[in-house]
Amino acid sequence: MSKVKVLRLPSQIGETDMSSGVAVVIDVLRATSSIATALTSGSTGVIPAANRDEALELQPRYPGSLLCGEEGGRVIPGFHLGNSPLEYTPERVGGKTVILTTSNGTKAVLGARDKGAVRVFTCAFLNLDAVRDAVLRETSGRDGDVFVICSGSHGRVSLEDYVCAGGLVHRLTLGSLSLDDSAQAARQSYLRYQGDILQSLLDSPHGRYLEVIGYGADLPHCAKVSVLQTVPYLAEQIIQDYAAR
Ligand code: MLT
């Protein structure tokens, strides 16, 4: 029977054998919320880049693409967009490829890809139910564990990622998947916040930091649960909607 495991930090990716498994990367504030929003707004795909230089190198290969991302939470000077999901409107990203670099989230996606998972999804509160459905589809009738990876913040566990991981785990227990101890613990955290997800973002140091630097409006957006149907997955090096594969 497939097991669900939660990695509280991307540093655990290195010690984890993900071959034949499914990886789900979570960065609620804000990379995976932005990715889900961008695809929902009609972006043709999101290319994760490890850093600013890699994003700049990738851009000429995708004419018309947008350079997007943050450093220290703020838009990178000279880039088209930052990492606020509210910026990823149909007017701005519709029909365009987004090249995205963020401090933790895009690095976690690339880390999971390099560990040989058969599928790499990205997940946020925004698309929890849709990702649950896709994970159940990918695991039905075959062996292989599910690795839920919290991106954290500069090597520290992020409360909102952990609670979101627990929300996914909670939904997956309705299928035929068993949980390891870390998944059980994440689920308990989710159940504590289930009635007020926004509070988990407000209780998080990174959420408070985003408020201080002027991105407080992102928190209520990123706290919405299962309002998007988009399931981002990594196809080669571009994140696209699983439904359109
Ligand atoms: C990250 O990758 O750490 C985040 O998405 C940072 C942010 O934009 O808040």
Side-chain angles (χ1 to χ4, degrees):
M1 180 192 273
S2 297
K3 210 164 204 166
V4 186
K5 304 177 179 184
V6 171
L7 280 57
R8 297 184 337 140
L9 285 170
S11 54
Q12 293 176 267
I13 294 173
E15 67 209 35
T16 308
D17 177 12
M18 291 190 199
S19 44
S20 77
V22 171
V24 183
V25 177
I26 296 178
D27 183 3
V28 171
L29 293 174
R30 298 165 289 174
T32 57
S33 298
S34 291
I35 292 167
T37 306
L39 294 180
T40 303
S41 292
S43 163
T44 49
V46 178
I47 301 175
N51 52 46
R52 173 203 302 232
D53 289 345
E54 194 175 297
L56 288 166
E57 271 174 38
L58 282 165
Q59 205 221 6
R61 287 190 237 159
Y62 299 91
S65 61
L66 299 174
L67 274 171
C68 306
E70 55 73 35
E71 284 173 351
R74 297 182 171 90
V75 59
I76 297 172
F79 276 33
H80 298 99
L81 299 176
N83 190 32
S84 165
L86 299 177
E87 295 176 89
Y88 290 79
T89 60
E91 295 72 30
R92 282 167 156 163
V93 303
K96 298 203 165 120
T97 300
V98 165
I99 298 173
L100 180 68
T101 180
T102 73
S103 306
N104 306 279
T106 55
K107 293 178 181 66
V109 172
L110 295 170
R113 179 197 66 187
D114 295 343
K115 292 298 285 188
V118 292
R119 274 283 184 238
V120 178
F121 293 111
T122 74
C123 177
F125 284 116
L126 290 169
N127 59 350
L128 257 184
D129 283 353
V131 173
R132 181 266 326 271
D133 292 347
V135 170
L136 289 177
R137 200 168 310 134
E138 282 288 331
T139 50
S140 84
R142 66 169 191 85
D143 286 336
D145 293 333
V146 179
F147 301 92
V148 184
I149 302 161
C150 301
S151 297
S153 186
H154 302 290
R156 294 197 177 163
V157 178
S158 284
L159 176 65
E160 69 281 6
D161 292 347
Y162 196 56
V163 171
C164 186
L168 181 61
V169 167
H170 181 62
R171 285 159 172 76
L172 289 171
T173 55
L174 304 174
S176 61
L177 297 162
S178 67
L179 309 181
D180 79 348
D181 288 352
S182 63
Q184 296 278 13
R187 181 168 179 243
Q188 291 308 317
S189 294
Y190 168 74
L191 292 175
R192 271 201 295 281
Y193 281 104
Q194 186 179 18
D196 189 359
I197 293 297
L198 177 58
Q199 193 59 48
S200 70
L201 278 64
L202 294 168
D203 287 346
S204 137
H206 191 59
R208 289 199 293 274
Y209 172 73
L210 289 173
E211 285 191 315
V212 168
I213 66 169
Y215 290 106
D218 287 351
L219 275 62
H221 175 77
C222 295
K224 290 180 194 157
V225 179
S226 299
V227 292
L228 303 183
Q229 300 311 312
T230 306
V231 179
Y233 83 105
L234 195 57
E236 305 290 334
Q237 63 168 357
I238 183 157
I239 299 171
Q240 293 183 317
D241 187 359
Y242 184 68
R245 73 198 182 285

